[in-house]
């Protein structure tokens, strides 16, 4: 079987400004994949940076698997049709999207979906989310509308169309903005605190948690409000994430992982700790599984998708859906004893002995400040560390933008995870920040 793994990008990429290092390397993971599936041939077709697929040095792959054919899509051949034509030249039996995220617009599942549409027109089988699913999940207003339609719980919300909210200021004949009055009246009836967020933002960047109607009023009428917004009631509860892998009729619902939260009670992308899988019956994981299966079937998901969740008052609420690889994917791979690339391609193969939830290892995903290369290697040398990834932004203008290292570690139990984290903190105290250690301890105390 000939398999092409592909990914696209909508952003300019400059390898001189950003660097990603992986241990184990993408090359090493691809070598393992080829060894496991010796009867298959693998090709990669990607725009830079080829996240999860390439080990880059600047704008050039630093090392490649000798068993894999690599094609970098040139900038002047970047339309979905042109990329599909490049893939079709490989004569694949199946093409698999390795969709990742980009800032500021998390919309690459839409472009990968358009490539897949062109391939299917040529009679090539694909594993890639439909473009409609990508759009429905990219636009948080559409996500709310869709969840209501299919009967899945989300926080009560109000959509604020920016132009309509501000339009009266440009029309001298208008005495009062009826749309604005309508929106503010709906917000007045909400239960505070509320979260105000961009309808198309990435992760929790730019979210505002406001405690009163007056604060919401001030923000929405300020210059900081420059785009369409969703105003959501804040749901008090425990933060989780889960992933759905597979294709229609063959979905695998991964058990949830618990997230740490910041002082506002929301998950911070730069400070979060993720620990799981969680199988405790008090979290009604069977109900969650049924809910996510329904979601996957309705969206006709194909590949890997991530769902942010809150468990509150004995009920599960969906926060957002991301039809792409997430920061959790590598953690799930480690829990199942797989590599990241193996997880990306697993939907192309019938799993003879899938890992049942109760047999999955416990995992912890946490972030560290930027590490010297020698320290990265030292951390990766611990038997309980399955992956270390470092992203460094050389063009950063603020400290919070310079980058981070991400560590995935495993244990047979939650207690063993905590023991392993203590070992790292004792051996390398300069690397393990107190906030991460405290967040991990709080979660494990809940789950143990």
């Amino acid at each position: 079987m000939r398999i092409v793994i592909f990914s696209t990008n909508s952003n300019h990429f400059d390898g001189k400004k950003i660097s990603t290092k992986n241990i184990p390397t993408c090359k090493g993971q691809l070598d393992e994949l080829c060894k496991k599936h010796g009867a298959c041939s693998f090709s990669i077709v990607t725009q830079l940076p080829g996240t999860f697929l390439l080990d880059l040095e600047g704008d050039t792959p630093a090392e490649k698997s000798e068993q894999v054919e690599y094609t970098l899509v040139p900038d002047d051949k970047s339309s979905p049709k042109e990329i599909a034509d490049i893939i079709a030249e490989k004569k694949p039996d199946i093409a698999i999207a390795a969709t990742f995220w980009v800032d500021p617009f998390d919309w690459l599942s839409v472009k990968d979906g358009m490539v897949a549409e062109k391939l299917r027109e040529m009679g090539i089988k694909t594993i890639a989310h439909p473009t409609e699913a990508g759009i429905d999940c990219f636009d948080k207003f559409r996500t709310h509308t869709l969840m209501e339609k299919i009967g899945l719980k989300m926080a009560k919300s109000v959509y604020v169309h920016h132009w309509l909210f501000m339009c009266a200021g440009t029309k001298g004949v208008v005495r009062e903005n009826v749309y604005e009055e309508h929106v503010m009246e709906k917000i007045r009836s909400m239960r505070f605190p509320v979260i105000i967020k961009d309808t198309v933002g990435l992760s929790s960047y730019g979210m505002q948690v406001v405690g009163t109607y007056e604060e919401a009023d001030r923000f929405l009428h300020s210059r900081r409000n420059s785009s369409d917004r969703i105003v959501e009631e804040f749901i008090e509860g425990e933060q989780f994430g889960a992933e759905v892998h597979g294709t229609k009729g063959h979905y695998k619902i991964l058990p949830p992982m618990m997230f740490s939260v910041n002082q506002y009670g929301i998950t911070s992308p730069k400070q979060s700790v993720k620990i799981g899988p969680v199988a405790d019956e008090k979290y009604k994981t069977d109900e969650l599984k049924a809910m996510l299966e329904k979601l996957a079937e309705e969206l006709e998901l194909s590949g890997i998708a991530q769902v942010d969740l809150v468990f509150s008052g004995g009920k599960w609420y969906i926060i957002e859906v991301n039809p792409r690889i997430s920061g959790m994917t590598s953690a799930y791979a480690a829990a199942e004893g797989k590599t990241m690339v193996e997880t990306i391609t697993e939907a192309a193969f019938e799993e003879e002995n899938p890992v049942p939830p109760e047999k999955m290892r416990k995992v912890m995903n946490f972030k560290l400040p930027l590490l010297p290369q020698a320290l990265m290697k030292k951390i990766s040398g611990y038997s309980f560390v399955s992956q270390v990834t470092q992203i460094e932004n050389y063009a950063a203008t603020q400290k919070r933008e310079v980058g981070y290292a991400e560590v995935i570690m495993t244990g047979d139990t939650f207690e063993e995870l905590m023991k392993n984290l203590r070992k790292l903190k004792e051996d390398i105290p300069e690397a393990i920040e107190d906030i991460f250690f405290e967040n991990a301890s709080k979660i494990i105390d809940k789950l143990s």
Side-chain angles (χ1 to χ4, degrees), residues 68-141:
V68 175
E69 179 186 3
Y70 294 78
T71 301
L72 300 185
V73 177
D75 289 342
D76 61 350
K77 299 287 184 181
S78 63
S79 74
K81 176 63 167 64
E82 290 167 325
I83 295 172
D85 287 341
I86 294 171
I87 295 170
E89 289 173 2
K90 313 297 178 186
K91 301 188 183 306
D93 295 296
I94 188 168
I96 303 170
T99 307
F100 57 95
W101 60 89
V102 288
D103 182 21
F105 302 121
D106 192 5
W107 55 17
L108 292 187
S109 62
V110 180
K111 185 171 183 182
D112 286 351
M114 288 192 288
V115 172
E117 286 176 352
K118 301 299 182 184
L119 291 171
R120 287 194 292 271
E121 289 172 4
M122 302 180 210
I124 297 170
K125 183 180 178 181
T126 67
I127 296 175
H129 300 300
T131 54
E132 279 302 306
I135 289 291
D136 283 335
C137 298
F138 165 63
D139 183 331
K140 293 178 178 61
F141 171 59

Side-chain angles (χ1 to χ4, degrees), residues 319-332:
I319 301 301
E320 65 180 49
V321 183
N322 301 301
R324 54 160 169 77
I325 296 164
S326 78
M328 299 173 62
T329 310
S330 54
Y332 280 121

Side-chain angles (χ1 to χ4, degrees), residues 11 14 32 38 109 122 155 174 213 261 267 308 336 340 352 360 367 371 423 447:
N11 290 7
D14 185 348
E32 283 191 39
S109 62
M122 302 180 210
V174 177
Y213 171 81
V261 297
T267 300
D308 285 334
E336 293 187 307
M340 182 71 145
E352 295 180 1
M360 294 172 71
K367 295 180 176 66
L371 302 171
K423 173 68 174 171
L447 299 178

